[in-house]
Structure formats: structure tokens, C-alpha cells
Amino acid sequence: MAKVTFLGHAAVLVAGSATTVVIDPFLTDNPQAAVGPEAINPDLVVVTHAHGDHWGDTLTLAQKGALVVSTYEIAVYAEKHGAKAFAMNIGGSYEFAGGQLKFYPAWHSSSFPDGSYGGMPMGVVLELDGKKIYHAGDTALFSDMKMIGDLGLDLAILPIGDTFTMGPDDALAALELLRPKQVLPIHYNTFPVIEQDGAAFVARAAAMGVGGKALDPGEAIEL
Ligand code: NI
Ligand code: MN
């Protein structure tokens, strides 16, 4: 069983029986954040790209003992700042207790708040306790999502905020390619420029036969 807790914006905590993974832990300075970095103790921090609203509290969580798993560029940056990191790139997979993860492309950009280059932006498929979860990162719609859908996804975590990523219409088109059992909309309502109606989005997804819920920050679903 995998428990997926939405922490706000693009931050998601995925807890399996042996390993807990946080993806894109932007908590401090996130007006939506359910908790601060002191409240979670992940084994792995997966960072899809270096933008501040994804990199977030990565170093704080690394100081508490988490391993940073990301692009080569983000891993090197994290190590320079005292973190323990594992450097990867798109297409690579990494095994951990109770599962594995694999990085996929995302159509976006990736630079740190200080302007350093973060490598290519990525999405990630997490396989934990037999459940397959795709976190798209920040991305536009792209047709290769069909190949990710061929994996047989239990959950797709998709940005719907528009402006910086897909908006709701493109995220619905993404669902046709991904064909997950459930969808979790993220990356909306954190700031005025990405305001969207999450409940309306999941209602449109349900009409396509995809389940899911627009979780409030702090809410969880079990797969
Ligand atoms: Ni971004
Ligand atoms: Mn973002």
C-alpha cells in the first residue's frame, strides 16, 4: 500500500512500507503548504527541476538525513551545499527498499533561484509497494505521455495551473494518453496567476472514466 499526501503546490509525500519519498518539497514560503519541513522525515527527496517552487526545502530535509535524487546538475549543487545526493538523468532508474523510480522528460526549464543551471527538467514514475505513480513535474502536454501510460499507472499527478505548465484542458488531453486509474491535480491556486478549479477538473476527469480527488493540502489518498 502506498499513502500519497498532498503537501501543497507540487509537493507530494509518498509513503510505502519500507521507504518514504517526498517529491518537490516546497514548503517554507509556500502559502498552500500543509506542513513545514520539520514535520516530515522522508528517506528520499526527488526533485523534478531546480525552480524554487520545487527545490524548496530540499537542503533542510537532506540535513535531516534524506538522500537527494535528481539530475546530475541538481545533485552536484546539493552536494556543494552539504547534502548527500545521487546524480541521475532522464531515462535512468534507481532502486530503493520496496520499489524504484525512473525519470522521464518534461517540457519546461530548470534553473535554481540563484541562476545556476539545473539540468533538464523531468517527470518521475515511482513504483512503491506495487503501485505506479507518475508525477509529471512542470510540463506542457506531450504525446510521449502515451508511453508512460503504457506502464499501467495507478495515479497520475498532473499540473493544471496553466501559465507555467499545462492548464486543465491540456491536462485532460494528457489523461487520455496516460490512462491512469486516478488523477491528482497539483500546481494550481498557490498564486493568483495559476488559479484553477480543481474540483471541476476532477469532475471532467471522472466523465472520462478517470477517478481521483482534488486534495486539500494535508489530505491523503491510499493506493
Ligand atoms: Ni518550474
Ligand atoms: Mn513550478
Side-chain angles (χ1 to χ4, degrees):
M1 195 179 71
K3 185 180 178 188
V4 179
T5 307
F6 178 50
L7 299 178
H9 197 56
V12 177
L13 188 74
V14 185
S17 53
T19 302
T20 297
V21 182
V22 72
I23 304 171
D24 291 353
F26 168 54
L27 304 172
T28 304
D29 300 329
N30 173 355
Q32 256 200 353
V35 294
E38 70 289 342
I40 58 170
N41 288 293
D43 302 294
L44 304 179
V45 182
V46 172
V47 187
T48 62
H49 64 293
H51 288 156
D53 60 318
H54 298 258
W55 166 253
D57 294 289
T58 295
L59 290 177
T60 304
L61 294 168
Q63 276 163 16
K64 289 173 39 163
L67 176 70
V68 179
V69 180
S70 191
T71 59
Y72 173 78
E73 290 82 359
I74 289 175
V76 166
Y77 185 97
E79 281 178 340
K80 256 187 211 158
H81 290 80
K84 205 174 146 214
F86 187 73
M88 298 181 58
N89 217 320
I90 300 165
S93 51
Y94 175 80
E95 289 192 20
F96 52 82
Q100 62 169 4
L101 60 83
K102 186 171 175 182
F103 286 119
Y104 288 87
W107 280 95
H108 193 64
S109 58
S110 180
S111 52
F112 284 92
D114 67 6
S116 303
Y117 175 57
M120 294 291 281
M122 306 188 294
V124 62
V125 173
L126 205 61
E127 222 178 306
L128 196 67
D129 289 9
K131 301 295 179 184
K132 288 182 188 162
I133 300 161
Y134 170 52
H135 187 301
D138 281 1
T139 188
L141 173 65
F142 56 94
S143 61
D144 284 353
M145 283 179 175
K146 185 181 180 304
M147 293 193 291
I148 300 172
D150 288 343
L151 298 171
L153 299 172
D154 293 284
L155 177 68
I157 302 172
L158 302 181
I160 67 160
D162 211 329
T163 308
F164 304 109
T165 67
M166 295 188 283
D169 291 347
D170 282 358
L172 284 166
L175 286 178
E176 287 186 10
L177 301 169
L178 293 165
R179 295 154 280 130
K181 289 191 183 125
Q182 296 195 67
V183 65
L184 170 61
I186 61 166
H187 211 277
Y188 70 101
N189 288 357
T190 322
F191 312 107
V193 74
I194 55 172
E195 261 173 33
Q196 299 292 344
D197 186 337
F201 172 78
V202 294
R204 291 171 72 192
M208 291 170 48
V210 178
K213 197 178 167 215
L215 297 181
D216 288 328
E219 270 194 298
I221 49 167
E222 283 181 358
L223 303 176

